[in-house]
Amino acid sequence: MDAFAKLQKLAQQASAADIMTIVSGPAERENVLGKMLVIPHGQEPDGQLLDPVFTAKLLAFRDAHEWIKPQVFQVEYHGNYQCFWDRLAMKPRALILGAGHISQPLAELLAVVDYEVVIADDRPDFANALRFPQAAQVICQSFEKLMLQLPLAEFSAIVIVTRGHRYDLDCLRVALLQASGYIGMIGSKRRVASILTLLQEEGISRERLSRLHAPIGLDIGAQSPAEIAVSIVAELIAFMRGGKHLPLSEQWRSCHGS
Amino acid sequence: MDRNLLDQIALARQQGVSAALITIIDTKGSTPRKAGSKMLVYPDGRIYGTIGGGCAEADVKLKALQAIQDRHSFIYQINMVNDVAAEEGMVCGGIMQVFIQMI
């Protein structure tokens, strides 16, 4: 797989990567201009550029410098090379199914924490771009069709907050099979229990069902739509970052025995 | 580099179209866009994306079309500070280096 194909694949997975491109070099090395090295974040580089020594020089430069913006830097290696350091940095995407009262503050908060937000509902009055100025996309479509059309695996988070039980179930069924990130669904304990029982009877494995965050959100005593949105986003952040869902003060006390 | 651009690059390659990727790699003074901005130039003269529009972009596009013929990648500098540039309507007053890269 060459650099562009690798980058496209990383972009589809919403992964970040450093990109090093040789933009100038000694006259006799014109053939290396435009050659690229892709270094996915948290991983080893994908192959090498020129040879292991040159590649190591690029990595050393990256490790020694904080990323601020795309820049050119010099590399001495049997002559003078210039490399361009760029980045693939994708916003993670969140899908909100249902465009009701909670969805509005939820979309706002997700945008603040830098998600690209997509919202869908089957009611034109609700799935309305004017109600969601922060959303990248607002889709008006029946949930059934929508779940067939959307590339669910590309979303880091799917939040199911439709207006009704039946639609929640339609969405959840497909999301559990196709999505790979966070899946959360709103509902009372009783409603969640009945949905889970139903899906189990339909043959969806316990393991798959265990991926569902329902009832959605952290227990912060949220009441208003905006508070519930905070509780959902808090749970999502904890999921993405491996957080413990606990007050930091409690952790501090348990460490310090007071 | 963003996903939409990468999709366009993949599409061009799939179709066997030899396009050029233009990247602003350095700017000095006032320029419409900064390092990292990108644009694709297709052999038929179409473009995807922008490096700031105007005369500078048109100039780079011509260079890129030549480069596509010769199949080689290189750095090209656009000077928007001198009198000629002002007469041509490049009014930003900066210097911009772009890398023209075969994809």
Side-chain angles (χ1 to χ4, degrees), chain A residues 185-199:
Chain A
M185 185 184 72
I186 207 158
S188 64
K189 282 181 194 145
R190 228 180 81 190
R191 186 162 133 183
V192 168
S194 73
I195 284 187
L196 289 181
T197 311
L198 191 66
L199 288 176

Side-chain angles (χ1 to χ4, degrees), chain A residues 244-257:
Chain A
K244 297 191 182 71
H245 304 85
L246 290 170
L248 292 166
S249 57
E250 239 171 58
Q251 289 180 38
W252 189 85
R253 280 196 195 97
S254 68
C255 285
H256 293 77

Side-chain angles (χ1 to χ4, degrees), chain B residues 3 14 17 21 23 30 33 62 77 82 91 100:
Chain B
R3 178 166 170 197
Q14 235 170 52
V17 175
L21 174 63
T23 306
S30 171
R33 297 201 69 189
L62 283 179
Q77 180 162 309
N82 62 25
V91 290
I100 300 178

Side-chain angles (χ1 to χ4, degrees), chain A residues 226-245:
Chain A
E227 288 172 359
I228 292 167
V230 169
S231 125
I232 293 172
V233 172
E235 183 177 60
L236 173 60
I237 294 172
F239 173 84
M240 300 298 282
R241 307 264 193 216
K244 297 191 182 71
H245 304 85

Side-chain angles (χ1 to χ4, degrees), chain B residues 35-96:
Chain B
S37 302
K38 287 181 167 64
M39 171 175 95
L40 271 179
V41 177
Y42 299 94
D44 61 3
R46 277 183 308 127
I47 58 170
Y48 176 86
T50 177
I51 54 165
C55 299
E57 184 173 284
D59 183 14
V60 171
K61 189 177 102 177
L62 283 179
K63 265 284 172 233
L65 289 172
Q66 262 176 37
I68 290 170
Q69 301 269 314
D70 307 340
R71 302 289 314 148
H72 76 279
S73 307
F74 58 95
I75 292 179
Y76 180 58
Q77 180 162 309
I78 303 100
N79 193 333
M80 295 180 273
V81 288
N82 62 25
D83 294 346
V84 180
E87 273 172 33
E88 297 269 335
M90 301 181 197
V91 290
C92 274
I95 295 171
M96 176 163 92

Side-chain angles (χ1 to χ4, degrees), chain A residues 28-71:
Chain A
E28 72 279 5
R29 302 298 313 267
E30 205 184 63
N31 59 321
V32 303
L33 300 186
K35 291 223 180 302
M36 301 163 92
L37 180 70
V38 177
I39 314 159
H41 285 183
Q43 291 177 41
E44 292 295 303
D46 188 49
Q48 51 173 301
L49 202 51
L50 300 193
D51 63 27
V53 179
F54 192 82
T55 306
K57 281 175 181 275
L58 299 182
L59 291 175
F61 182 89
R62 182 197 65 164
D63 293 340
H65 294 82
E66 194 188 340
W67 167 266
I68 300 165
K69 58 183 181 170
Q71 62 163 307

